[in-house]
């Protein structure tokens, strides 16, 4: 990953950040800083992958795939967890 000094916000990124902000906000009047929203999203991604690794051998593969497959963490039938971002 390269360090960048700017974060370009396309319309899609703005929409995703707004959706994530609604999840992170304590109530409808809360306006959390973007850094908190990004930190929460990154933490969730990392914890999701760790949780998937923890349950892979305890539940049937199809059940794990049906419950946990997302556009970010795609599961192959029992072989690996792949991140589709970049």
């Amino acid at each position: 990953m390269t360090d960048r000094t700017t974060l370009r916000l396309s319309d899609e990124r703005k929409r995703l950040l707004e959706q994530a902000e609604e999840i992170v906000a304590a109530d409808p009047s809360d306006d959390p800083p973007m850094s908190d929203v990004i930190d929460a999203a990154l933490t969730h991604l990392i914890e999701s992958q760790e949780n998937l690794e923890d349950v892979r051998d305890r539940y049937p593969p199809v059940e794990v795939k049906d419950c946990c497959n997302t556009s970010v963490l795609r599961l192959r039938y029992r072989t690996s967890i792949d991140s589709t971002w970049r």
Side-chain angles (χ1 to χ4, degrees):
M1 178 171 64
T2 61
D3 290 332
R4 295 185 183 180
T5 56
T6 61
L7 178 63
R8 291 194 179 90
L9 296 178
S10 64
D11 289 342
E12 177 63 11
R13 281 185 180 164
K14 286 179 187 175
R15 187 186 67 74
L16 291 172
L17 281 168
E18 288 169 2
Q19 285 182 304
E21 179 182 2
E22 291 173 8
I23 295 168
V24 172
D27 59 53
S29 63
D30 189 18
D31 186 21
M34 188 184 306
S35 60
D36 288 356
V37 175
I38 293 170
D39 288 348
L42 293 172
T43 300
H44 178 69
L45 174 64
I46 291 165
E47 289 176 353
S48 293
Q49 183 172 6
E50 290 170 354
N51 291 339
L52 282 169
E53 291 293 344
D54 288 344
V55 300
R56 289 181 80 91
D57 295 324
R58 290 190 278 160
Y59 296 96
V62 173
E63 188 174 330
V64 174
K65 188 173 190 294
D66 289 345
C67 292
C68 304
N69 201 36
T70 70
S71 62
V72 176
L73 294 174
R74 292 187 194 270
L75 302 178
R76 291 193 203 147
Y77 189 72
R78 191 52 139 164
T79 57
S80 66
I81 296 175
D82 296 327
S83 174
T84 60
W85 295 96
R86 297 218 182 233

